[in-house]
């Protein structure tokens, strides 16, 4: 059983289901074509997806909230615009996307899968949401996640875990596990996630979808509930690279509401995906540290096969070193938790969310926060506050910031020798629910291959590259220099084209 | 803490740090968090092996400066919306237990 | 064994609200007095997902303050998070500046008790203000209108040694900040608040005593009283063989005493670290020089110029330049009427008197400089006399308006019609034959009485010079 034939079977099964039975089995691109040709309406698509959610999500639990009424009403509005002969607002016009539960959309809950935001409804749109709305996209629902994006399995949701559509005994990865599972299970064609240490790429890899972590500063964070402000980025999870490019093109670009969102022009990402039959002249670096001990043999074989596949298209493979990779997890857990310990201080029961009364404000805080946060959030806030506290700042937080510089320099040196880097997304395929829950450190080490990218602030793409013998998806990670999303999407597209797109409804 | 061989993690006073971030812990949590974070700190101790004396810290991932806003007003939230999510509000104010100074 | 004499060592941390249109990190109006929670947005309410973006003008004003106070301007400065929990803190951390503030060093000359002294500054940094709490019986209410307002913190070295010096410093600082257009320094609106650090030591000693901190003073008089009390308290404790505890104290204005703030709070650990949401601020030499060229004239320089340019006595120039608003007002009147002496007299006497009586700031006066200039012109051209002018001024002060219109509408113009005045003179002589004959018989003083009668008959509107001429003519002396 080869991966290639799996991919082709998947296409066949997806196409056979279209249009009404399971429209999300095909991409935003194909749905857009169907709308353009009048083969179906936005309402048809939204209704079919709502049916799919009703049918499947009981087993997956990808969604925390489905905007059924609003989505149908928006779909009808889009259909009326189309019927009136209005030109489409964008390639996403009339098409549904889902939002991770930490992205603010006016009128919707935005609970970050936490009890502490019980009852909270956002009063403003995140910039990415405003841009999706302006593009005519329909917000289908809110996806499950690890509480405040702290986790790598979506088991840390206060509302129960999401399951991997490929094997419901396994995790979908995290923290954007709901978004990845929803796309993989064909409940929505694309979703937004957020990636602080691998939270888009790792679930994309575990669920067999495409996930893109943009360069820090490529996409506005305004309206993304902050976990670690210097690391967080919003990005797309989608069926293929073309869809990911479309969503990225819609949400990327400078924003006066986010001072860290950089004023760099947004190129035509879709144009970068054309003519990918040959990759002559492209140098692909294989970081030795990413193929080190601890890497699952099947994962290693699939990723090396992908490298060979790209080499066959004319790319040159070079071995490179990222010597500080072993320090990335330690560095990350100091910086991310330090920032989080202050970002999450605002959840105090005064202005929004859950409150447990107390005799005075301090007692109210102590009780509210004890009741509202789950154990992983508490652990991380304690670690982060410790790293910043008097007497420990220099040895922990400041030292981590310095090692962060060394990790950044590793990538700069590597990119002097190659155009992109290729490696695995995660050391293993999807693990079983509960397997790592009791051991936070083991869970943290799950992110060792994705974290360095966040620390360096550069961009990376997770693209499916095979399956294990047991049928679990395996993802390859293509890492590019800052603002080279077009380049990594292009290589992902070359891989898709050479091997056949990797999709196909998991057996549900 | 600049001794590169010093990798033993200090004991963290979990209760004290939890109080800094205003979280009441149960005795079970104090015990398990202490144990788990002790291991994490031990792991983090490997950073002490690196010589970073000459390295500049990275606080921001983008090498940009002076991102400033012009001093012009823009509409904010109407009061009803500002207070809509408040657990307790009265007379246009967010209500909390009496602050003891 | 306690020494016979003690001296106080005082340092101040002064928080000044900047005069900007908007808050420090969001586009909400920076305005006092609105209904609670009506000047708020996702950023200053600390809603999940909101991000700060720094206000360019707040940075400019802080640097201007630094330049006026002789500070060194950091070429690269940055913002930091300062963590502590309080209901009026939307994010439970305050965005402030820790080790890279905008301004370092600097100082301010003060004069107290006839001696001059330079008070050194440690630093000036920029931070966001917190909201405001109102206290009820069992609850408190929080208003976030002020949350996020731009606040400049000026920290002095412990160079002050008496309540008078502290007062003189605050007055001098306020004068400069108002002059620079940096802050309105309106104490009633809480534009200027300060924390006091105070210790005492045996006179002549160079070691520092244990200090206490008195928080959140919002009147200069309060600062003076609190310091007077606290210095005395510390000396009494030491004389009595006790020790001073390092602590935060609160000034109770009604009791006229400071008391210890017993809080169940652990010792603060603010956990400062660089604010990841805000990129560093870099100021080029050229930018700083452009701002330096824009620096306003300071009070001492302006006073000297008033003497030189308007030929005013030094004392008058001092009075006029003490308050920037008054100086601006005077200059506008002087330029508009072309008579600096008259402008100075009006401002120093009538204007400052009524402002003092009404407890009003010059910024709120209804008499515009143009109106006062016109009024001066009316007197110069003898259209009205001084008593009428004062009457017109009082009317303008009440209701505003144009003096020329007012004089015309109310018929207040002097009667300068010689035949009308002659008729009144005849009436006065007929009614008072005694004084008339006295005058004829050489009693010159009687003429003043008769002029008064003519004025009375004209209801004050007669031109006194013409009245005198008419009386003399009728009484046969010419």
């Amino acid at each position: 059983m080869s991966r290639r034939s799996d991919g082709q079977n998947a296409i066949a099964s997806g196409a056979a289901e279209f249009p009404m039975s399971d429209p999300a089995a095909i991409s935003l691109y194909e749905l857009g074509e169907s709308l353009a040709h009048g083969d179906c309406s936005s309402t048809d698509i939204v209704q079919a997806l709502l049916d799919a959610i009703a049918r499947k999500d009981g087993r997956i639990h990808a969604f925390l909230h489905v905007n059924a009424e609003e989505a149908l009403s928006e779909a009808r509005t889009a259909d009326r615009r189309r019927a009136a002969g209005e030109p489409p607002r964008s390639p996403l016009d009339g098409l549904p996307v889902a939002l991770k539960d930490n992205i603010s959309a006016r009128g919707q809950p935005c609970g970050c899968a936490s009890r502490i935001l019980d009852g909270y409804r956002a009063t403003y749109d995140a910039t990415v949401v405003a841009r999706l709305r302006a593009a005519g996209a329909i917000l289908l629902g809110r996806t499950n996640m690890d509480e405040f994006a702290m986790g790598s399995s979506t088991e840390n949701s206060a509302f129960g875990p999401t399951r991997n559509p490929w094997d419901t005994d396994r995790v979908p990865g995290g923290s954007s596990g709901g978004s990845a599972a929803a796309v993989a299970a064909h409940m929505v064609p694309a979703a937004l996630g957020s990636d602080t240490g691998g939270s888009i790429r790792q679930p994309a890899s575990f669920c067999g979808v495409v996930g893109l972590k943009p360069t820090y500063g490529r996409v506005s964070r305004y309206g993304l509930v902050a976990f670690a402000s210097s690391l967080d980025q919003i990005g797309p999870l989608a069926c293929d690279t073309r869809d990911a490019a479309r969503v990225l093109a819609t949400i990327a670009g400078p924003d006066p509401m986010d001072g860290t969102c950089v004023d760099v022009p947004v190129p035509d990402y879709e144009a970068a995906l054309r003519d990918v039959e040959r990759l002559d002249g492209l140098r692909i670096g294989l970081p030795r540290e990413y193929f080190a001990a601890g890497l699952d043999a099947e994962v290693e074989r699939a990723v090396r096969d992908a490298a060979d596949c790209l080499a066959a298209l004319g790319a040159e493979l070079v071995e490179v070193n990222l010597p500080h990779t072993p320090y990335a997890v330690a560095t990350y857990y100091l910086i991310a938790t330090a920032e989080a310990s202050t970002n999450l201080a605002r959840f105090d029961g005064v202005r929004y969310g859950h409150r447990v009364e107390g005799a005075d404000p301090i007692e109210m805080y102590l009780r509210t926060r004890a009741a509202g946060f789950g154990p992983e959030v508490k652990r991380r806030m304690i670690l982060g506050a410790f790293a910043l506290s008097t007497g420990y700042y220099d040895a922990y937080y400041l030292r981590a910031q310095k090692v962060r510089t060394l990790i950044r320099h590793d990538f700069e040196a590597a990119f002097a020798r190659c155009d992109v880097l290729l490696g695995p997304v995660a050391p293993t395929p999807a693990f079983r629910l509960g397997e790592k829950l009791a051991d936070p450190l083991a869970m943290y080490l799950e992110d060792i291959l994705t974290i360095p990218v966040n620390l360096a602030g550069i961009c990376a793409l997770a693209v499916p590259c095979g399956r294990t013998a047991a049928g679990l998806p395996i993802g390859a990670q293509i890492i590019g220099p800052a603002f080279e999303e077009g380049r990594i999407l292009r290589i992902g597209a070359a891989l898709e084209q050479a091997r056949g797109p990797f999709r196909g409804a998991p057996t549900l | 803490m600049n001794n590169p061989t010093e990798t033993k993690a200090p004991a963290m006073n979990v209760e004290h740090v939890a109080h800094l971030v205003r979280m009441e812990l149960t005795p079970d949590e104090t015990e398990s968090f202490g144990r788990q974070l002790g291991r994490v700190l031990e792991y983090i101790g490997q950073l002490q092996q690196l010589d970073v004396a000459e390295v500049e810290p990275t606080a921001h991932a983008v090498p940009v400066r002076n991102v400033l806003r012009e001093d012009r007003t823009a509409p904010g939230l109407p009061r009803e919306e500002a207070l809509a999510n408040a657990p307790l509000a009265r007379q246009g104010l967010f209500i909390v237990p009496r602050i003891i100074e | 064994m306690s020494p016979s004499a003690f001296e106080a060592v005082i340092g101040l941390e002064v928080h000044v609200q900047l005069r900007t249109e908007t808050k420090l990190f969001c586009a909400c109006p920076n305005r006092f007095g609105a209904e609670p929670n009506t000047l708020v947005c996702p950023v200053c309410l600390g809603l999940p997902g909101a991000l700060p973006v720094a206000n360019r003008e707040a940075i400019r004003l802080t640097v201007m303050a630094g330049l006026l106070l002789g500070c060194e301007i950091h070429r690269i400065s940055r913002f930091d998070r300062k963590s502590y929990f309080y209901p009026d803190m939307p994010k439970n951390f305050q965005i402030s500046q820790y080790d890279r503030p905008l301004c370092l060093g600097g100082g301010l000359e003060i004069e107290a008790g006839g001696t001059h002294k330079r008070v050194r500054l440690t630093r000036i940094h920029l931070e966001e203000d917190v909201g405001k709490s109102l206290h009820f019986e069992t609850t408190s209410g929080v208003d976030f209108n002020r949350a996020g307002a731009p606040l400049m913190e000026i920290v002095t070295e412990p160079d002050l040694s008496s309540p008078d010096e502290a007062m003189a410093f605050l007055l001098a600082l306020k004068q400069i900040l108002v002059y620079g257009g940096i802050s309105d320094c309106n104490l009633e609106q809480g534009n200027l608040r300060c924390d006091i650090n105070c210790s005492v030591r045996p006179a002549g000693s160079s070691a520092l005593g244990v200090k206490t901190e008195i928080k959140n003073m919002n009147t200069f008089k309060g600062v003076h009283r609190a310091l007077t009390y606290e210095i005395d308290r510390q000396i009494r404790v030491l004389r009595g063989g006790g020790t001073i505890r390092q602590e935060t104290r609160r000034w109770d204005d009604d009791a006229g005493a400071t008391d210890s703030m017993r809080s169940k709070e652990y010792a603060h650990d603010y956990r400062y670290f660089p604010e990841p949401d805000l990129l560093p601020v870099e100021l080029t030499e050229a930018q700083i020089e452009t701002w330096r060229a824009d620096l306003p004239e300071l009070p001492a320089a302006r006073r000297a110029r008033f003497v030189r340019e308007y030929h005013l006595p030094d004392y008058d120039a001092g009075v006029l330049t003490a308050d920037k608003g008054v100086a601006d007002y005077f200059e506008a009147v002087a330029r508009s009427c072309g008579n600096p002496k008259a402008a100075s007299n009006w401002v120093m006497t009538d204007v400052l008197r009524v402002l003092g009586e009404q407890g009003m700031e010059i910024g709120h006066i209804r008499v515009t400089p143009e109106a006062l200039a016109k009024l001066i012109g009316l007197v110069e051209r003898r259209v009205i006399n001084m008593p009428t002018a004062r009457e017109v001024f009082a009317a303008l002060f009440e209701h505003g308006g144009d003096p020329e219109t007012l004089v015309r509408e109310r018929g207040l113009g002097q009667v300068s019609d010689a035949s009308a005045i002659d008729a009144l003179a005849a009436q006065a002589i007929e009614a008072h034959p005694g004084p008339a004959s006295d005058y004829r018989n050489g009693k010159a003083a009687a003429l003043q009485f008769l002029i008064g009668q003519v004025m009375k008959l004209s209801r004050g509107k007669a031109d006194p010079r013409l009245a005198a001429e008419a009386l003399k003519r009728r009484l046969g002396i010419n």
Side-chain angles (χ1 to χ4, degrees), chain A residues 106 121 216 259 326 349 351-352 355 358 361 365-366 369-370 378-379 382 395-396 399 401-402 405 408 445, chain B residues 2 10 17 21-22 24 29 36 43 46-48 50 55-56 58-59 62 67 81 85-87 95 97-98:
Chain A
R106 191 181 156 82
R121 273 185 185 262
Y216 187 84
R351 284 145 298 125
Y352 39 76
R355 175 196 288 197
Y365 297 150
L366 290 169
R369 292 163 63 80
K378 288 179 183 173
R379 269 193 294 271
I382 292 169
Y396 288 96
R399 179 166 281 263
Q401 279 195 321
K402 290 179 173 184
T405 305
R408 237 182 49 206
L445 289 169
Chain B
N2 278 328
V17 182
V21 289
R22 297 291 180 273
E24 201 166 59
E29 282 176 324
Q36 290 160 336
Y43 175 78
Q46 64 174 301
L47 294 187
Q48 310 297 333
L50 290 168
V55 183
E56 282 293 310
T58 295
V62 286
V67 182
E81 286 192 35
N85 280 299
I95 300 297
R98 190 176 154 91

Side-chain angles (χ1 to χ4, degrees), chain A residues 106 119-121 123 216 230 259-260 262 324 326-327 329-331 334 341 349-353 355 357-362 364-367 369-370 373 375 378-379 381-383 385-386 389 392 395-396 398-406 408 438-441 444-445 457, chain B residues 1-3 8-14 17-25 29 32-33 36-37 39-41 43-62 64 67 69 77 81-88 94-100:
Chain A
R106 191 181 156 82
Y120 171 71
R121 273 185 185 262
T123 48
Y216 187 84
S230 78
T260 63
V262 183
H324 294 95
Y327 299 99
V329 171
T331 302
L334 290 172
S341 73
V350 175
R351 284 145 298 125
Y352 39 76
R355 175 196 288 197
E357 290 297 342
D360 59 39
I362 292 182
M364 179 187 79
Y365 297 150
L366 290 169
R367 291 177 176 178
R369 292 163 63 80
F373 292 130
K378 288 179 183 173
R379 269 193 294 271
M381 272 199 287
I382 292 169
L383 179 59
F386 174 74
S389 63
Y392 298 104
Y396 288 96
L398 185 63
R399 179 166 281 263
Q401 279 195 321
K402 290 179 173 184
V403 181
R404 183 175 185 181
T405 305
L406 297 176
R408 237 182 49 206
D439 184 357
L441 186 57
Y444 296 175
L445 289 169
Chain B
M1 295 299 280
N2 278 328
N3 181 354
K8 192 165 158 39
M12 184 200 291
N13 182 342
V14 170
V17 182
H19 189 84
L20 283 178
V21 289
R22 297 291 180 273
M23 285 184 316
E24 201 166 59
L25 300 183
E29 282 176 324
S32 65
F33 292 173
Q36 290 160 336
L37 291 174
R39 286 186 49 211
V40 171
L41 280 181
Y43 175 78
I44 283 170
Q46 64 174 301
L47 294 187
Q48 310 297 333
Q49 296 160 3
L50 290 168
D51 178 8
V52 291
E54 303 299 315
V55 183
E56 282 293 310
T58 295
H60 298 95
V62 286
V64 179
V67 182
R69 187 175 58 77
L77 290 172
E81 286 192 35
L83 295 168
N85 280 299
L88 197 56
F94 293 91
I95 300 297
V96 297
R98 190 176 154 91
I99 300 167
I100 302 149

Side-chain angles (χ1 to χ4, degrees), chain A residues 27 29-30 240-247 270 273 489 493 496:
Chain A
S27 64
Y29 169 77
E30 287 156 310
D240 58 27
T241 50
R242 176 161 44 194
D243 281 9
R246 286 198 165 179
V247 176
E270 264 191 82
L273 306 186
L489 281 165
E496 276 172 351

Side-chain angles (χ1 to χ4, degrees), chain A residues 284-296:
Chain A
I284 298 177
L286 303 175
R288 288 193 184 87
E289 294 78 5
Y290 283 36
F291 295 91
L295 183 62
D296 177 272

Side-chain angles (χ1 to χ4, degrees), chain C residues 196-448:
Chain C
I196 306 169
N197 287 299
C198 172
S199 64
V200 298
R201 63 182 175 196
S205 160
S206 60
L208 288 171
V210 177
K211 68 175 182 185
T212 59
E213 185 176 19
I214 309 169
K215 284 246 184 226
N216 235 340
M217 304 298 305
N218 50 21
T219 65
F220 291 178
K221 222 175 98 190
V223 169
H224 195 275
R225 291 181 65 209
L227 268 171
T228 305
Y229 174 87
E230 180 64 13
I231 292 166
D232 183 58
R233 183 191 72 87
Q234 292 191 11
I235 293 173
R236 271 188 285 116
V237 168
L238 293 175
R239 285 235 163 92
T243 51
I244 305 296
R245 211 153 48 110
Q246 178 156 358
E247 63 183 352
T248 300
R249 300 180 70 84
R250 174 188 27 213
W251 169 245
D252 182 337
D253 204 61
D254 296 328
T258 65
D259 56 49
S260 181
M261 285 171 79
R262 271 182 301 274
S263 155
K264 47 181 180 171
E265 187 47 39
Y266 282 47
H268 279 305
D269 186 345
Y270 291 129
R271 289 166 282 138
Y272 283 102
F273 78 105
E275 165 57 272
D277 289 328
L278 294 165
L279 298 170
V281 176
E282 182 173 8
L283 297 168
T284 62
E285 196 64 45
Q287 176 65 81
I288 293 168
E289 286 317 306
T290 309
W291 285 343
R292 198 190 295 279
D294 276 353
L295 286 181
E297 191 181 28
L298 284 183
R302 198 171 200 184
R303 177 173 180 167
R305 180 169 64 78
F306 277 16
V307 171
R308 200 171 60 239
E309 195 172 308
Y310 301 120
H311 308 289
L312 300 179
D314 181 61
Y315 173 80
D316 296 15
V319 172
L320 290 171
T321 54
D323 180 303
K324 178 170 186 287
V326 172
D328 288 345
Y329 187 88
F330 159 74
E331 283 215 89
V333 176
R335 284 186 182 144
S336 182
C337 74
N339 184 345
K341 183 68 205 155
S344 163
N345 285 342
W346 271 97
V347 174
M348 284 183 61
T349 53
D350 299 81
V351 173
L352 289 181
R353 181 180 48 77
V354 290
L355 288 178
E357 284 167 9
Q358 308 278 324
M360 190 192 267
E361 302 247 2
I362 188 111
H364 298 116
I365 194 167
R366 290 200 191 86
V367 189
T368 64
E370 295 68 35
L372 182 54
K374 276 188 185 175
L375 189 61
I376 290 170
L378 290 172
V379 176
E380 266 179 5
R381 297 197 309 276
R382 316 177 62 83
V383 177
I384 55 174
N385 55 29
M386 269 312 278
T388 308
R390 292 225 154 81
E391 214 177 290
V392 173
F393 178 80
L396 291 172
F397 187 82
E398 280 304 311
H399 310 291
D402 174 57
E404 286 170 0
T405 315
L406 208 67
V407 165
R408 198 167 51 245
E409 282 175 2
R410 297 199 184 175
L412 293 174
Q414 291 192 90
V415 178
S416 307
D417 174 350
S419 63
I421 289 177
D422 188 55
L424 294 174
Q427 237 179 296
I429 291 166
E430 196 183 322
H432 303 283
S437 77
D438 287 352
Y439 182 72
R440 282 197 195 92
N441 295 332
K443 267 186 86 177
L447 185 66
Q448 286 311 311

Side-chain angles (χ1 to χ4, degrees), chain A residues 102-340:
Chain A
N102 59 354
I103 299 172
S104 188
R106 191 181 156 82
Q108 297 183 11
C110 179
C112 302
S114 180
R115 294 269 175 220
I116 207 150
L117 276 165
D118 266 355
Y120 171 71
R121 273 185 185 262
T123 48
Y124 73 104
D125 275 346
T127 298
V128 293
V129 170
R131 287 181 183 172
L132 284 173
R133 289 197 208 262
I138 293 166
L139 307 176
L140 190 65
R142 307 191 60 82
T143 59
N144 200 7
M145 57 187 281
D146 287 296
E147 184 179 3
F148 286 105
M150 295 182 182
S152 309
S153 68
T154 315
E155 290 167 291
N156 294 333
S157 166
F159 305 103
T162 297
R163 290 165 184 271
N164 192 315
W166 297 86
D167 176 350
T168 52
D169 289 334
R170 291 180 186 267
V171 302
S175 65
S176 310
S179 288
V183 175
H186 305 147
M187 294 188 282
V188 72
L192 295 188
S194 66
D195 192 316
T196 308
S199 280
I200 289 174
R201 290 160 287 161
Q202 185 250 23
S205 172
F206 280 14
C207 291
V209 301
V210 168
L212 175 67
K213 197 290 280 186
T215 306
Y216 187 84
R218 173 76 293 180
V219 176
S220 169
R221 294 181 294 115
Y222 186 75
L224 170 68
V225 182
F227 160 16
S229 314
S230 78
L231 302 163
D232 296 341
Q233 268 290 288
I234 296 173
L237 293 105
C239 316
D240 58 27
T241 50
R242 176 161 44 194
D243 281 9
R246 286 198 165 179
V247 176
L248 179 63
T250 307
I251 61 175
D255 174 18
M257 299 304 282
D258 176 2
T260 63
C261 190
V262 183
D263 193 0
V264 171
V266 179
D268 183 346
Y269 293 120
E270 264 191 82
L273 306 186
R274 288 181 207 123
D275 308 322
V276 292
E277 290 78 14
R278 296 294 303 169
L279 297 174
D280 299 294
L282 184 85
R283 295 165 304 163
I284 298 177
L286 303 175
R288 288 193 184 87
E289 294 78 5
Y290 283 36
F291 295 91
L295 183 62
D296 177 272
E298 285 184 299
V299 171
E300 173 160 11
R301 196 174 331 115
V303 176
R304 288 208 187 271
D305 282 356
D308 291 343
C309 171
L310 294 169
L313 301 180
E316 182 195 342
L317 302 182
V318 292
E319 297 246 307
V320 296
N321 287 316
L322 298 170
H324 294 95
T325 303
Y327 299 99
V329 171
T331 302
Y332 173 83
Y333 275 93
L334 290 172
I335 292 173
T337 58
E339 293 182 9

